[in-house]
Amino acid sequence: MKVLVINCGSSSIKYQLFEMEDETVLASGLVEKIGAEAAIITHEVADREEEVITGEILDHREGINRVLRLLVRPDGGVIKDEKEVAAVGHRVVHGGEYFAESAIITREVRTAIRKTIDLAPLHNPPNLLGIDAAQAQLPSAVHVAVFDTAFHQSMPEYAYMYPLPRILYQKHRVRRYGFHGTSHQYVAQRAAVFLGKPLEELRLISCHIGNGASLTAIQHGKSVDTSMGMTPLEGLMMGTRCGDIDPAIVPYVIAKEELTLAEVKSMMNKHSGLMGVSGFSGDMREVTEAMFDGNKQAKLAIDMYVYRLKKMIGSYLAIMNGADALIFTAGVGENASSIRQKACEDMSFLGISLDLEENAKRCKKERVVSAADSKVKVLVLPTNEELMIAREAKELV
Ligand SMILES: Nc1ncnc2c1ncn2[C@@H]1O[C@H](COP(=O)(O)OP(=O)(O)O)[C@@H](O)[C@H]1O
Ligand SMILES: CC(=O)OP(=O)(O)O
Ligand SMILES: [Mg+2]
């Protein structure tokens, strides 16, 4: 069975086509700059990458059409007919309280996703565009929505409620939802396999740190707390997002700088985090390089990033009375050994100590980077949200 996985951003489409018999990737790629003058499609088949710079790609519908044409082209295509795609798995960031599991996209499901637009204005509208475009182009496939929030629906009430007047929850569903659930669940399952223990018996802390970053405490295979909240802005310091700040800063800045609400939102989402503190980049590689070149603001940005990460790890050790494993995943978690090292420094009294040599190795595989006597195993496990989405889609067909 062939499953196409689609992750639509506001001006991009990430895609992967899977053969589910052996879970291999037949083709994958990225359409960028949708709506701009020259769109770029990077398409990869069997480790051969090809960059197609096209003219304007007007919208997501045209973007998906172009992807399908690449998949079925007579020369170098990977399928003969679009009808071979039995299912399409869509990443949907916010499912509100409607979805604790993935769902086949019906009219009702689409309506529920629409209702959560207010809660994820940056993510859900492009996700819906992708769903509509793909349904129009692949009418015979089963379309499945896989939600970032679903895995966290198991959080207890005292973890997901905010200490605000209850009416805000009753009227507007103001509560914590959490994100990156597909990734946290995937690495938790991998950790169980890797450690050779049932997931139900493990206490895990997973650190998904990429551009967006969140931590999850996982007990008995379920999310019991996570660092993102009603939106993906809460919690850790990220590439361009501020994470936790005093909420009183918002009205203060609005008054002092005469900013609009939209400007403050943009400031906190796109111009803060590593970007805001370093003053030049939200990309961990660039900020790290600048730090080694002696840039003081870059050093401060990284010190703050790691300090906040470490505090969050400590708080999750507290709520679960320790942990069996601490997992690092996503762009920074998988690749930035210096960030892992600093986040785990001086934590031996909590049962965490790294094998510095092992941690420093560059390696794409799943591995242990803690010292032999570390009570908490520290694991680096590459995430694979796309494979998880493909599995969910297959399951529902
Ligand atoms: N070798 C590396 N060292 C440090 N940071 C890295 C490295 N490789 C990738 N990153 C960082 O990972 C982040 C992107 O993470 P990723 O999970 O790919 O993002 P997204 O959330 O967009 O999926 C960027 O900040 C990037 O700099
Ligand atoms: C929800 C979220 O933060 O997603 P991403 O990391 O892809 O921005
Ligand atoms: Mg990501």
Side-chain angles (χ1 to χ4, degrees):
M1 180 197 285
K2 297 189 176 63
V3 176
L4 179 64
V5 173
I6 292 181
N7 180 356
C8 276
S10 53
S11 65
S12 70
I13 303 169
K14 280 192 208 159
Y15 60 91
Q16 282 195 21
L17 181 68
F18 285 90
E19 171 51 76
M20 294 310 288
E21 299 306 320
D22 50 3
E23 297 192 333
T24 47
V25 178
L26 300 176
S28 64
L30 171 67
V31 186
E32 290 170 285
K33 302 196 176 183
I34 295 171
E37 259 165 38
I40 303 168
I41 306 178
T42 313
H43 184 72
E44 193 174 323
V45 177
D47 284 341
R48 238 194 23 248
E49 201 175 89
E50 151 184 16
E51 195 162 281
V52 192
I53 298 178
T54 75
E56 201 174 22
I57 293 184
L58 268 182
D59 53 18
H60 290 72
R61 197 160 174 151
E62 196 179 333
I64 287 177
N65 182 273
R66 295 293 298 259
V67 171
L68 291 174
R69 272 159 48 198
L70 282 170
L71 294 176
V72 300
R73 69 191 155 163
D75 177 25
V78 290
I79 49 175
K80 290 211 172 60
D81 192 311
E82 291 161 15
K83 292 203 179 70
E84 285 178 50
V85 178
V88 183
H90 296 267
R91 179 190 183 200
V92 179
V93 166
H94 217 309
E97 284 186 329
Y98 298 106
F99 303 101
E101 272 160 12
S102 305
I104 291 182
I105 304 170
T106 58
R107 275 174 97 97
E108 292 73 33
V109 167
R110 194 181 179 289
T111 306
I113 298 173
R114 270 190 65 85
K115 284 189 184 153
T116 53
I117 283 183
D118 278 352
L119 295 173
L122 298 179
H123 289 93
N124 272 30
N127 295 163
L128 267 173
L129 285 176
I131 289 174
D132 291 347
Q135 280 187 325
Q137 313 266 339
L138 293 165
S140 61
V142 178
H143 291 259
V144 172
V146 182
F147 301 93
D148 263 52
T149 47
F151 180 56
H152 303 299
Q153 281 292 301
S154 52
M155 277 193 283
E157 196 176 8
Y158 56 76
Y160 73 66
M161 287 301 285
Y162 287 112
L164 286 165
R166 189 159 180 84
I167 188 83
L168 290 179
Y169 173 67
Q170 290 162 335
K171 271 178 80 175
H172 305 296
R173 291 287 170 253
V174 173
R175 53 160 282 184
R176 309 182 62 249
Y177 293 93
F179 299 87
H180 297 135
T182 315
S183 173
H184 290 297
Q185 190 176 14
Y186 176 80
V187 294
Q189 288 174 359
R190 292 305 311 162
V193 173
F194 195 81
L195 298 171
K197 292 213 179 116
L199 184 53
E200 293 68 33
E201 287 173 19
L202 293 170
R203 293 160 304 164
L204 304 168
I205 298 173
S206 70
C207 310
H208 174 111
I209 43 181
N211 280 316
S214 68
L215 239 71
T216 298
I218 300 161
Q219 212 164 5
H220 311 302
K222 291 192 161 50
S223 165
V224 292
D225 202 356
T226 191
S227 62
M228 282 180 170
M230 183 175 89
T231 75
L233 187 56
E234 188 178 327
L236 296 168
M237 174 172 162
M238 311 179 208
T240 61
R241 293 172 232 170
C242 57
D244 293 338
I245 57 167
D246 183 342
I249 293 170
V250 174
Y252 183 80
V253 168
I254 288 179
K256 289 280 178 196
E257 290 283 317
E258 293 182 23
L259 296 180
T260 62
L261 263 182
E263 285 166 336
V264 177
K265 264 198 223 169
S266 160
M267 177 191 86
M268 294 187 299
N269 277 294
K270 297 184 182 152
H271 307 282
S272 297
L274 291 175
M275 169 67 106
V277 180
S278 74
F280 66 92
S281 174
D283 189 299
M284 182 57 88
R285 265 169 303 200
E286 292 176 13
V287 181
T288 306
E289 251 170 57
M291 177 184 74
F292 286 129
D293 289 344
N295 182 317
K296 289 212 169 68
Q297 282 309 116
K299 178 172 186 319
L300 175 63
I302 289 181
D303 285 347
M304 287 169 62
Y305 187 98
V306 173
Y307 180 70
R308 286 169 173 250
L309 174 59
K310 186 174 173 141
K311 281 205 287 189
M312 198 71 83
I313 294 172
S315 70
Y316 285 179
L317 284 167
I319 64 172
M320 293 194 294
N321 188 19
D324 299 293
L326 171 66
I327 306 163
F328 285 96
T329 194
V332 176
E334 290 165 31
N335 299 301
S337 55
S338 61
I339 299 294
R340 292 194 300 264
Q341 183 179 332
K342 287 189 190 129
C344 295
E345 227 158 50
D346 300 326
M347 300 250 263
S348 52
F349 84 104
L350 287 171
I352 297 177
S353 50
L354 282 189
D355 178 331
L356 294 183
E357 207 171 301
E358 200 53 45
N359 180 59
K361 282 184 191 156
R362 293 201 145 274
C363 168
K364 293 269 166 217
K365 288 210 191 91
E366 298 183 337
R367 62 209 173 102
V368 186
V369 294
S370 45
D373 61 353
S374 183
K375 239 167 56 189
V376 180
K377 293 259 174 297
V378 183
L379 309 176
V380 178
L381 303 175
T383 193
N384 197 339
E385 290 161 284
E386 291 78 16
L387 175 59
M388 195 76 182
I389 293 172
R391 284 180 184 162
E392 290 284 301
K394 180 186 168 206
E395 185 86 11
L396 286 181
V397 169

